[in-house]
Amino acid sequence: MLKAAGGTALAAALAGCSSLLGSGEEDDSQSSSDVPDEPIEAGLQTFTEGAAAVLGLQAQYGAQLAVERINGAGGVAGREMKLDVVHEGDSHVENYNQFVEEGKDVTFGPISSGGHAAMAPEVESQEVVNVGTDGTVTTLYEETVTDPTYSFRFQNYDVMECVSAAREAVERLGADNVNTIAGINPNYAFGKDEFSVFKRAIKKLAGDVEVVYEGYPDLMADDMSTHITEVNNEQPDVTFSSCWGGDVTTLMSQAAANNMFENTQLVGSVLYSAVNDLSQDVVEQASAISGSRNFYWGEPTTNRWQPGKKLREDAKSKWDIVPSAHFMSGYGAVAAWATATQKAVDIVGGWPSQEQIAKSLEGHGFYTPAGYHVMSEDHQGMSNSYYGKMSWSSDVGAPVLEDVNMYDPREVSPPPGTKSAKWIGSWS
């Protein structure tokens, strides 16, 4: 357990598990002469402006808080971390290469699935470890880079949340009551990937399900009325949406104004990503079923995986936000790399190479306030995911999830080496 979590004060600082990890004992690795003195240079690309910043800034703040905690605990093997942040825009490969030219020891990000797919082959070519915060498209490690060495991602990926969404819809509505579905999903790799997995999964779970409408609004579209009208005309039993950030706010606000929630049950994989923007009347009218990837404000409970309560307090006091799963994607990506690198230092007795850090990340288990995570052997980050009924909390002053179901990653993702479509197709 000690080695699995990078058993030092560093892991304790990130996860708050000092009682388990026995913090306070001196760490020999931090005095090794083979560890450089200069700070670790890290780069993060995320959306810092525009509608996508609803998620991007959460990831940035999470990464910054993780770096702050690492430095407060004495750094990684005694090396302080420095984090540069750039706007990812549509320059994912260029941003990564710029980080490499600047001599960064590690890079984090991006948010975009399309950008992550474009960047991953370059990561393998440049051989500087990148831990993606999001970029969750299924094909990344099934088709784009099938045998990765230096490319990883922290966040639960599309298969996990779409299989969870299908199971959640069938569980709450009943298989006999899901006969027709529709989809309103972002018009790029992520949106099309998510609806494809959702359709495949719910047809297996509920039987002869008809897709009566599928629409793909462009990212950051300011008018979704065409799609809402189609859903109102067809009145499907379930409408699935993987809209995220500002697009969630647009979709749900316009759907409420046009009475869409009277005609269908909205099930969204990341509706909770708009937690800081949605209004009470929209949330209450929607009565939506939402996923929240690996974390939301009330689960895991803040006294279970410390420093949960302190993390929430810091997020509120520093940035006046309710931290979401995307806050945790930044925090967790940094925590994954730092604890795996500390473990590699312990093993090799000096500062590890990029290849040794990559090897240390494979199969690496570690804690954050969102619970226990594993970086699987195929470089997919995995942890429990959550679905619940979205409702308004006057105490929090924001939407919360109620009646929450938790899904173990082994229940909602294929075994390493098995493609998702084949795995879902094998369900009896």
Side-chain angles (χ1 to χ4, degrees):
M1 178 64 76
L2 287 173
K3 289 296 183 186
T8 66
L10 168 62
L14 286 165
C17 298
S18 57
S19 60
L20 291 175
L21 298 175
S23 65
E25 296 182 4
E26 185 175 352
D27 184 351
D28 292 340
S29 66
Q30 298 204 10
S31 60
S32 170
S33 59
D34 294 327
V35 175
D37 293 331
E38 59 264 27
I40 296 163
E41 300 287 345
L44 166 70
Q45 57 174 314
T46 187
F47 289 109
T48 61
E49 58 190 60
V54 172
L55 275 64
L57 289 177
Q58 287 253 353
Q60 176 183 337
Y61 299 153
Q64 289 175 336
L65 188 61
V67 167
E68 185 180 302
R69 288 188 176 279
I70 289 166
N71 292 338
V76 180
R79 297 182 66 186
E80 182 182 53
M81 284 191 77
K82 295 174 64 177
L83 181 69
D84 288 343
V85 180
V86 300
H87 175 57
E88 69 177 77
D90 58 359
S91 303
H92 307 88
V93 176
E94 292 83 356
N95 287 337
Y96 173 78
N97 282 333
Q98 182 63 38
F99 284 151
V100 173
E101 289 179 11
E102 293 168 355
K104 294 288 192 286
D105 297 283
V106 60
T107 68
F108 302 106
I111 296 288
S112 164
S113 288
H116 204 174
M119 197 181 88
E122 187 67 13
V123 173
E124 295 302 308
S125 175
Q126 295 282 7
E127 301 182 352
V128 174
V129 169
N130 181 78
V131 183
T133 51
D134 293 273
T136 55
V137 68
T138 304
T139 52
L140 183 68
Y141 296 131
E142 292 190 357
E143 297 178 14
T144 305
V145 178
T146 56
D147 187 21
T149 299
Y150 301 97
S151 171
F152 297 83
R153 65 177 160 203
F154 166 79
Q155 189 59 274
N156 292 349
Y157 67 122
D158 292 356
V159 174
M160 299 172 69
E161 58 191 11
C162 294
V163 170
S164 299
R167 290 183 56 172
E168 190 75 5
V170 171
E171 172 73 19
R172 291 182 185 269
L173 275 67
D176 293 341
N177 296 319
V178 181
N179 299 306
T180 55
I181 63 170
I184 302 176
N185 293 279
N187 188 25
Y188 74 117
F190 169 73
K192 294 181 178 179
D193 185 55
E194 289 244 330
F195 194 45
S196 174
V197 176
F198 179 80
K199 285 187 291 186
R200 189 175 292 120
I202 203 163
K203 286 179 178 179
K204 273 288 185 179
L205 293 170
D208 187 20
V209 174
E210 180 184 2
V211 180
V212 295
Y213 177 72
E214 51 186 299
Y216 296 94
D218 291 336
L219 280 175
M220 305 173 210
D222 58 9
D223 183 0
M224 297 196 187
S225 59
T226 299
H227 310 289
I228 292 166
T229 298
E230 291 292 338
V231 169
N232 280 340
N233 290 338
E234 297 293 342
Q235 301 188 10
D237 297 318
V238 172
T239 297
F240 173 80
S241 179
S242 55
C243 286
W244 51 271
D247 286 348
V248 172
T249 309
T250 302
L251 172 63
M252 292 186 63
S253 298
Q254 294 182 2
N258 289 279
N259 304 318
M260 189 186 90
F261 301 119
E262 296 177 4
N263 298 315
T264 191
Q265 172 63 60
L266 179 64
V267 177
S269 53
V270 281
L271 301 177
Y272 197 75
S273 62
V275 62
N276 291 287
D277 283 3
L278 290 171
S279 63
Q280 181 176 356
D281 62 325
V282 168
V283 170
E284 291 179 341
Q285 187 178 152
S287 192
I289 298 168
S290 175
S292 186
R293 294 191 168 165
N294 59 21
F295 178 79
Y296 74 101
W297 77 272
E299 181 64 39
T301 51
T302 56
N303 61 355
R304 184 175 182 192
W305 299 97
Q306 297 297 318
K309 183 178 180 180
K310 184 67 168 58
L311 181 142
R312 286 185 53 203
E313 291 172 347
D314 286 347
K316 185 66 177 178
S317 65
K318 290 175 181 288
W319 302 291
D320 193 25
I321 59 168
V322 176
S324 71
H326 296 88
F327 187 98
M328 194 52 60
S329 71
Y331 190 100
V334 173
W337 181 86
T339 53
T341 300
Q342 180 68 64
K343 182 173 65 176
V345 170
D346 295 343
I347 293 171
V348 304
W351 193 255
S353 67
Q354 289 287 338
E355 184 176 8
Q356 289 170 327
I357 292 171
K359 287 295 182 186
S360 185
L361 271 161
E362 289 182 348
H364 180 56
F366 59 101
Y367 305 91
T368 75
Y372 188 75
H373 312 270
V374 172
M375 190 66 72
S376 73
E377 62 189 71
D378 58 359
H379 294 211
Q380 307 275 15
M382 292 189 175
S383 57
N384 291 334
S385 59
Y386 304 92
Y387 268 81
K389 202 81 171 179
M390 187 177 279
S391 62
W392 185 264
S393 169
S394 298
D395 292 339
V396 179
V400 298
L401 298 183
E402 293 182 337
D403 189 17
V404 173
N405 289 317
M406 181 183 73
Y407 294 90
D408 184 307
R410 293 167 295 187
E411 299 178 289
V412 292
S413 64
T418 302
K419 289 192 174 183
S420 303
K422 182 178 181 181
W423 173 65
I424 294 172
S426 70
W427 297 354
S428 57

